[in-house]
Amino acid sequence: MSEEEKPTPAAAAEEPKKEEPKEEESTAQFEPVVKLEEVEVKSGEEDEETVFGVRAKLFLFGETLLDVGSGKKTWKERGIGEVRILRHKEHQRLRVLMRQEKTMKVIANHALDPRIKLEPNVGSDRSWVWSAFDFAEGELTETVFALRFADSDVAGEFKKNFEECQAEMEKLLAGEDKPGADGGAAADEAAEALKELSTKDE
C-alpha cells in the first residue's frame, strides 16, 4: 500500500463505530410447579423446661462398625453440644438430653434414673462416666457414656446439678418417706416413659 492509500488518523476517526446490541432485562415470571406450605416443626421439648445446661463433648463406649460382633469395645466420640437436664411441666419427671451442635441431632436421651452413679474418668478431673438406658436412637439401649467438660469446675457443677435432680426424681417416683423402696421399679417406668417423649431431630 502506497503512502497515499494509507488512511490518515483523521479519516480513521471518522469511521462509524459499530453499535453494540442493548441488553434487555427479562420480565418473564415463573410460578412454582409445587407450592410448599410452611410447616411447624416440633422438637419434642415444648412441654419441658431446662433445669441445667452446659457445653461438653460426649463419648460412648462400644463396638465400632468394623468391630461389630467381635466384642472389642472402645471409646467413640459422639459429638459436641449442650447437655441439658429437662423437667416436664406436667408430671415433673426429669431426663438428660444432648444434641450435637449445628446438626441438632439427638446424641443422648435418657431418664434421670436415681440409680445412676457418676464415676470419675481415669486420669481426668473434668470428665464423668456413667451407664443408662438411652433412647437417642428411638429404642432403649443400655449405654455407657463419658462427658468431658472445659475444666474441673464445670465438671463439678454438672455433677452437683445431676445429683440434686436425681434426688428430686427419687422423691417424685418413690415418695419422700420411702425413697427407693420399690427397688427401682419407678425409675424403670420413667425410662419407659421416654418413648412418649419421642424427641425429633430438627
Side-chain angles (χ1 to χ4, degrees), residues 37-170:
E37 296 182 0
E38 187 175 341
V39 178
E40 182 182 357
V41 178
K42 294 186 177 181
S43 66
E45 304 167 35
E46 289 76 15
D47 297 326
E48 297 172 287
E49 59 183 359
T50 300
V51 178
F52 177 77
V54 67
R55 191 171 184 268
K57 180 180 287 188
L58 179 69
F59 298 84
L60 301 183
F61 188 71
E63 296 177 340
T64 65
L65 291 175
L66 298 176
D67 295 324
V68 172
S70 67
K72 182 182 178 181
K73 296 182 178 182
T74 57
W75 285 108
K76 302 175 292 181
E77 182 178 330
R78 190 68 185 274
I80 298 174
E82 184 183 25
V83 56
R84 293 180 293 155
I85 298 176
L86 303 178
R87 179 191 291 115
H88 198 279
K89 296 175 183 177
E90 184 178 345
H91 53 61
Q92 301 299 304
R93 286 176 177 171
L94 297 136
R95 65 168 170 155
V96 173
L97 180 70
M98 185 172 181
R99 291 180 181 273
Q100 190 174 38
E101 285 182 352
K102 297 181 181 180
T103 66
M104 300 307 290
K105 175 181 174 60
V106 176
I107 54 179
N109 179 26
H110 67 78
L112 198 55
D113 191 330
R115 298 170 295 178
I116 295 174
K117 298 294 183 184
L118 293 182
E119 301 290 346
N121 197 0
V122 178
S124 176
D125 62 352
R126 60 188 181 105
S127 180
W128 299 109
V129 177
W130 75 94
S131 63
F133 284 96
D134 187 44
F135 196 66
E137 300 295 336
E139 60 181 26
L140 288 174
T141 306
E142 189 170 8
T143 308
V144 179
F145 301 95
L147 269 181
R148 190 167 69 197
F149 303 91
D151 54 47
S152 58
D153 291 337
V154 177
E157 188 68 15
F158 172 80
K159 185 175 189 291
K160 174 178 173 290
N161 282 272
F162 191 96
E163 292 178 344
E164 286 178 353
C165 289
Q166 277 186 299
E168 180 183 335
M169 188 74 158
E170 186 171 25

Side-chain angles (χ1 to χ4, degrees), residues 167-182 186:
E168 180 183 335
M169 188 74 158
E170 186 171 25
K171 291 177 182 179
L172 177 66
L173 297 176
E176 293 188 21
D177 296 334
K178 298 179 180 179
D182 62 354

